[in-house]
Amino acid sequence: MRRNIATDLILSILFSVVTNTVCITPPGKPKITSCRSPEKETFTCWWEPGYDGGLPTTYALYYRLETSETVYECSDYHTAGPNSCYFNKNDTSIWVNYNITVVATNRRGTNYSDPVDVDVVYIVQPHTPENVTVLVKADEQGPYLRVSWEKPRNADTSSGWITLVYQLRVKLKNQDEWEEHDVGQQKTFNVFSPHSGGTYMVQVRCKPDHGLWSEWSTTSYIQVPDYITRERSMWIIIAIFTVLVFIILTWILNLKRSSVKHCLLPPVPGPKIIGIDRNLLKNGKSEDVFNALVIPGFPPSDYEDLLVEYLEVYDSENQELMLDGKDLQEGCLKLKSPSDNDSGRGSCDSHTLLMEKVAKEEPTLESSQQEVEAETPSTASLQPEYAQPSAWPTVLAPDQPYQLDSPWKSLPDVFISPPVSPQLKCTTGPKHKKGLYEPSINGLEGKGDSMVSSPRTMEYVEVQRVNQQNVLLLRPLAEQNLGSHTTSVEMPEEDYSKVKGVTSNNVLLLQQEVSTQYISDQEETCPMMQQTQLGKPVVHHPPAVVPSGMQLTSNGYVDTATY
Amino acid sequence: MPAYRSQGTKLHFAVVVLLCVTVSSEALGLGDLLERVSQVSDKLHSLSTSLTNDLNTHIPPMGKIIMRPSMCHTSSLQTPNDKEQALKVPESELLSLIRSLLVAWSDPLAMLLKEAPSLVHPDKSLIYSKTKELQDHSNTLGDGLDRLVHKMGPTSQLISSLPFTNDIGNDKNMRLSNFHFLLSCFRRDSHKIDSFLKVLRCRAAKLRPEMC
């Protein structure tokens, strides 16, 4: 007995083990994966079989409508492929719930799937759109792509039973991202401004109004021909036109080269150093060059007599500057201008020039008054014997209240035009010389103090002519009383203009002369050489003169900036 | 009695038509009217689907299994069940069906709206707002259909009455599951309305074949 039970037990265990290893079991549970209706008239359900238990297993689908208790079996297992059930039109009702179950049967047993409730209207997924065609069309804007397609074959949209909306996606062949477009119920779509020469891929899908999206259609390829966009051709035309205009302008500029050059870069007067032979400078040795400069008989023997003790200069602001006479030679105004020393300005260092000028000025300065009143008798006035190099600056630059500062930068910018145009007051310039001549105040060197000119008179000297030795012949402009230091002095000519001031850009500001009347020259100073000192405002308006705004003289160069 | 009723109906109809013609300066064509109405019904069904999805995040323990859609209060109305049947129905009858369905839902929707704030659902405020929207769209659709009626035959005016019992239940879980059930019924009925209107739209749109 016990042995039988034990044997049975052992046998049964063995048997189960054997059967398990040989895998013969009732089938596993099938599972309904999905049901779909492509046109709201038929539908199909698919299931997934479970483990078949090692035996041939059959599957059956049973369904029941909600309105009745009758159970039906699927009539078509083949149309839709394996493990599927196709419900044809007759078997399909909508707005009705189906209760569907799949049963798996094999020799060992059966297994039921979980039931599924399905309403056909909620499982509509159409087929993909058909006949997707892409064409390249052209209009006046350029080429564009036209995509057109047709509805899926079995969808009945004409009666309104099913309403389809479409979606399209496009991309270039080498792009990663698709560009999606919702098209609505149309069956065409345009892609404008495609990339020239690119290959486009197009896909279309559709969806019923309340349903699921279909699969994407197969890709359609289209090659866009090469073309130039209208915009780019416009830019090309503009570029060509600009280049042409530029070439024409350059050619015109080239033709008018000299006048443009004259306008933009006015010629700087060449060096007029007497005695220097240009060619010698280029070719010769330095000794020869300098030897040529040597003039016999200079410096004069009575050199000591020429020295002046001191020089007194007044300006309207009662600024007195005492220049030490001893230093006058070295204390000549040195122009620290940025330009070279070979400009047309006479430099203090040029003794010969100094001498010659002084010598020549003798006869012409007889009648001229000296604004610069020197205390020492030697510089009382310009006398014929007055051939002092140190006084030369005063002769040539009478009545100048100079406020000389270290950077005397304004002078290079000052141009004196030929006599017709108003000349700068207090300067002399070569009348007949072509080009521009620097005012002679270069000869004066400031020690940082301002020089006060003679408060009395304004003296204008005009260069009559330049003789062959390049010496200036001066003559005074107006008939003035020598030695008279009365108050009012008339303005010599009308074509002279006063300089209002000098800006920090080293520009002389000319004053427009409205009246020829001048008041006391006590206040009246030659405003030309005034500079805005460091923190010292320039005040020199002669009250009678109505200064107008800065103006350009006819030939001169005046900067109209305010000071 | 029926004679008077029909005479009265005819008179009423004529008066209403005259009023409509005089009052509305812009007389919408039938096609345009149907187009508008279809759009409203499309929106209505979309709203009901979205509300169902929101509600389904929290299913009551009893579930919806007990309730069958055949137990909807509108199931007594005979509507076509497939395409052949639907396409055979004349327009005016179709419109009558549509209107009957819609009218049958005005009371239940009001009740749902009253119930929404006290639902045992985590998203009840959202549900309430969507239910309100549902009611508004339903009213708009009703107005549109009323205008449509005057362009169709007299049969379209017939509305079957579908009584609705205001019994949502006492237990709060019961109320939630009733809410679920009612909404599922509404979802189906709104789909019916939408489908029928779109069928009507395509029938009327002879001038725009590309739409259908």
Side-chain angles (χ1 to χ4, degrees):
Chain A
M1 213 45 174
R2 283 196 200 124
R3 264 180 55 200
N4 280 343
I5 295 167
T7 315
D8 284 340
L9 201 60
I10 290 164
L11 274 173
S12 64
I13 290 167
L14 269 173
F15 185 71
S16 64
V17 166
V18 165
T19 53
N20 275 338
T21 51
V22 180
C23 303
I24 299 174
T25 54
K29 194 172 180 178
K31 186 182 157 203
I32 298 169
T33 51
S34 68
C35 296
R36 288 287 180 263
S37 166
E39 76 289 77
K40 223 159 54 169
E41 297 167 43
T42 67
F43 74 105
T44 313
C45 280
W46 292 270
W47 66 84
E48 192 183 271
Y51 176 58
D52 66 352
L55 295 165
T57 314
T58 56
Y59 297 90
L61 187 140
Y62 296 98
Y63 65 91
R64 193 176 63 83
L65 289 173
E66 72 178 75
T67 47
S68 75
E69 292 295 326
T70 323
V71 177
Y72 303 91
E73 194 189 338
C74 175
S75 53
D76 189 336
Y77 288 105
H78 305 290
T79 312
N83 296 325
S84 71
C85 176
Y86 174 74
F87 294 79
N88 61 18
K89 283 191 192 179
N90 296 330
D91 296 334
T92 308
S93 307
I94 53 171
W95 297 307
V96 170
N97 263 8
Y98 280 74
N99 191 299
I100 299 169
T101 317
V102 172
V103 178
T105 315
N106 71 1
R107 211 162 37 125
R108 300 282 308 168
T110 60
N111 211 332
Y112 295 87
S113 71
D114 290 331
V116 160
D117 279 317
V118 165
D119 192 337
V120 176
V121 290
Y122 300 139
I123 54 163
V124 182
Q125 186 183 28
H127 293 150
T128 65
E130 295 179 0
N131 271 352
V132 179
T133 57
V134 191
L135 294 170
V136 180
K137 296 212 168 195
D139 64 355
E140 65 267 5
Q141 309 279 344
Y144 63 95
L145 299 177
R146 188 177 182 82
V147 189
S148 58
W149 57 89
E150 288 167 12
K151 66 168 177 70
R153 205 170 308 139
N154 42 19
D156 183 12
T157 54
S158 58
S159 65
W161 183 241
I162 191 168
T163 310
L164 291 173
V165 291
Y166 299 96
Q167 200 182 56
L168 176 145
R169 68 179 187 183
V170 190
K171 80 174 172 92
L172 274 169
K173 201 169 179 184
N174 48 11
Q175 276 176 343
D176 290 329
E177 298 288 321
W178 288 92
E179 196 182 303
E180 290 191 357
H181 299 273
D182 283 314
V183 185
Q185 289 178 276
Q186 304 162 14
K187 296 190 189 63
T188 59
F189 187 76
N190 295 328
V191 178
F192 292 105
S193 297
H195 284 224
S196 146
T199 306
Y200 279 92
M201 298 160 59
V202 178
Q203 285 182 329
V204 187
R205 68 175 181 179
C206 59
K207 174 178 97 85
D209 42 7
H210 308 285
L212 304 155
W213 281 108
S214 71
E215 297 294 327
W216 287 106
S217 65
T218 55
T219 313
S220 298
Y221 293 88
I222 185 78
Q223 174 80 28
V224 179
D226 292 322
Y227 72 101
I228 297 172
T229 58
R230 214 154 165 241
E231 199 188 332
R232 195 191 283 186
S233 60
M234 181 187 77
W235 283 115
I236 288 168
I237 287 166
I238 286 172
I240 289 168
F241 184 70
T242 312
V243 164
L244 274 173
V245 165
F246 183 70
I247 286 168
I248 288 168
L249 276 175
T250 314
W251 181 63
I252 288 171
L253 266 176
N254 199 32
L255 280 179
K256 306 276 181 198
R257 192 179 20 208
S258 54
S259 66
V260 168
K261 207 175 169 185
H262 183 81
C263 178
L264 288 177
L265 308 166
V268 176
K272 294 286 179 271
I273 301 171
I274 298 166
I276 286 187
D277 188 358
R278 243 198 183 151
N279 293 330
L280 205 59
L281 203 62
K282 281 181 202 170
N283 307 324
K285 303 169 193 169
S286 56
E287 298 162 352
D288 296 336
V289 173
F290 291 130
N291 285 339
L293 288 172
V294 173
I295 294 172
F298 191 86
S301 52
D302 53 348
Y303 187 74
E304 297 298 314
D305 298 333
L306 299 177
L307 279 178
V308 73
E309 292 294 321
Y310 57 87
L311 195 64
E312 202 174 297
V313 179
Y314 296 99
D315 71 353
S316 64
E317 288 294 301
N318 300 326
Q319 287 164 348
E320 295 191 1
L321 186 67
M322 308 291 281
L323 284 183
D324 193 2
K326 291 199 186 63
D327 305 342
L328 201 60
Q329 237 181 353
E330 297 85 22
C332 289
L333 278 171
K334 272 215 172 66
L335 289 171
K336 295 172 184 79
S337 71
S339 52
D340 59 26
N341 293 328
D342 275 345
S343 65
R345 306 160 287 154
S347 112
C348 290
D349 299 330
S350 170
H351 297 289
T352 55
L353 179 62
L354 218 53
M355 270 305 292
E356 284 190 350
K357 283 198 190 284
V358 168
K360 290 300 170 196
E361 283 159 15
E362 285 179 18
T364 63
L365 291 171
E366 278 172 333
S367 57
S368 66
Q369 273 191 349
Q370 301 307 307
E371 295 97 11
V372 178
E373 191 176 32
E375 297 279 319
T376 58
S378 57
T379 60
S381 65
L382 278 176
Q383 300 301 327
E385 305 82 48
Y386 187 65
Q388 298 167 13
S390 51
W392 168 72
T394 65
V395 170
L396 294 175
D399 198 29
Q400 311 280 335
Y402 299 102
Q403 288 181 2
L404 299 166
D405 204 3
S406 339
W408 186 257
K409 293 198 187 78
S410 63
L411 292 178
D413 298 335
V414 172
F415 302 98
I416 305 169
S417 56
V420 181
S421 57
Q423 289 186 358
L424 284 170
K425 209 167 70 163
C426 309
T427 61
T428 57
K431 206 169 170 180
H432 305 284
K433 276 249 185 284
K434 190 195 170 187
L436 306 161
Y437 187 76
E438 298 286 339
S440 56
I441 26 133
N442 307 341
L444 290 172
E445 185 180 29
K447 304 245 178 185
D449 306 325
S450 61
M451 290 201 298
V452 180
S453 69
S454 159
R456 311 283 172 75
T457 57
M458 297 274 202
E459 179 67 22
Y460 292 93
V461 289
E462 194 180 359
V463 175
Q464 218 171 18
R465 62 184 174 85
V466 180
N467 67 1
Q468 278 97 8
Q469 282 87 34
N470 292 338
V471 172
L472 299 170
L473 301 176
L474 302 173
R475 68 170 176 84
L477 282 175
E479 290 302 310
Q480 287 153 359
N481 295 324
L482 264 179
S484 150
H485 301 293
T486 51
T487 54
S488 55
V489 168
E490 284 189 24
M491 275 302 290
E493 299 274 333
E494 281 183 356
D495 55 347
Y496 286 88
S497 61
K498 263 168 114 168
V499 172
K500 203 166 182 178
V502 181
T503 65
S504 54
N505 289 342
N506 304 326
V507 172
L508 287 174
L509 310 171
L510 290 185
Q511 219 171 41
Q512 190 190 29
E513 320 259 297
V514 183
S515 76
T516 57
Q517 220 182 28
Y518 278 81
I519 57 154
S520 159
D521 50 24
Q522 198 79 351
E523 290 74 38
E524 192 179 332
T525 59
C526 181
M528 179 179 69
M529 293 311 138
Q530 280 188 355
Q531 266 186 335
T532 47
Q533 293 299 315
L534 320 149
K536 204 175 1 171
V538 176
V539 178
H540 64 276
H541 287 294
V545 177
V546 179
S548 61
M550 298 300 118
Q551 283 186 355
L552 272 172
T553 61
S554 56
N555 283 357
Y557 171 85
V558 176
D559 196 315
T560 57
T562 56
Y563 55 91
Chain B
M1 270 308 232
Y4 292 138
R5 244 205 20 286
S6 68
Q7 269 182 9
T9 314
K10 278 183 191 167
L11 187 64
H12 174 72
F13 175 66
V15 166
V16 167
V17 163
L18 274 172
L19 269 175
C20 270
V21 165
T22 50
V23 166
S24 63
S25 54
E26 48 136 3
L28 275 178
L30 188 63
D32 291 330
L33 199 55
L34 276 167
E35 178 72 40
R36 281 197 193 182
V37 159
S38 307
Q39 285 170 11
V40 176
S41 75
D42 191 284
K43 179 73 180 163
L44 188 67
H45 180 69
S46 303
L47 273 171
S48 72
T49 307
S50 133
L51 186 51
T52 309
N53 292 336
D54 292 336
L55 214 53
N56 281 343
T57 58
H58 185 81
I59 300 171
M62 295 188 303
K64 299 175 285 188
I65 306 168
I66 302 171
M67 305 291 186
R68 298 262 179 92
S70 54
M71 290 157 72
C72 290
H73 68 288
T74 52
S75 56
S76 56
L77 190 65
Q78 289 289 336
T79 53
N81 272 344
D82 62 12
K83 183 178 125 185
E84 284 81 17
Q85 290 177 25
L87 294 180
K88 279 184 202 151
V89 177
E91 292 93 11
S92 52
E93 194 181 320
L94 214 49
L95 187 58
S96 158
L97 283 171
I98 293 162
R99 289 181 74 230
S100 308
L101 279 172
L102 195 64
V103 162
W105 275 102
S106 62
D107 287 340
L109 277 177
M111 199 202 74
L112 281 176
L113 197 63
K114 230 174 13 182
E115 183 63 25
S118 55
L119 270 183
V120 286
H121 196 280
D123 294 328
K124 60 181 170 217
S125 56
L126 178 68
I127 286 161
Y128 175 77
S129 61
K130 284 197 180 172
T131 312
K132 184 82 181 77
E133 236 184 303
L134 217 57
Q135 195 187 47
D136 295 336
H137 273 85
S138 177
N139 293 334
T140 312
L141 186 60
D143 297 337
L145 289 175
D146 290 338
R147 292 192 72 177
L148 204 55
V149 155
H150 305 303
K151 295 189 187 283
M152 302 260 196
T155 333
S156 56
Q157 289 193 51
L158 295 171
I159 297 176
S160 314
S161 85
L162 300 159
F164 172 66
T165 53
N166 249 346
D167 181 22
I168 195 143
N170 301 321
D171 178 41
K172 57 180 182 170
N173 279 333
M174 188 73 166
R175 294 163 94 97
L176 184 60
S177 84
N178 271 333
F179 202 99
H180 269 272
F181 169 70
L182 275 173
L183 209 55
S184 68
C185 289
F186 182 77
R187 191 181 166 206
R188 172 183 283 181
D189 288 339
S190 65
H191 193 280
K192 279 187 190 175
I193 291 166
D194 188 46
S195 300
F196 295 153
L197 277 173
K198 282 174 179 166
V199 166
L200 282 177
R201 177 176 71 170
C202 273
R203 280 199 205 167
K206 300 289 187 290
L207 300 169
R208 283 182 297 178
E210 74 274 4
M211 293 301 274
C212 294

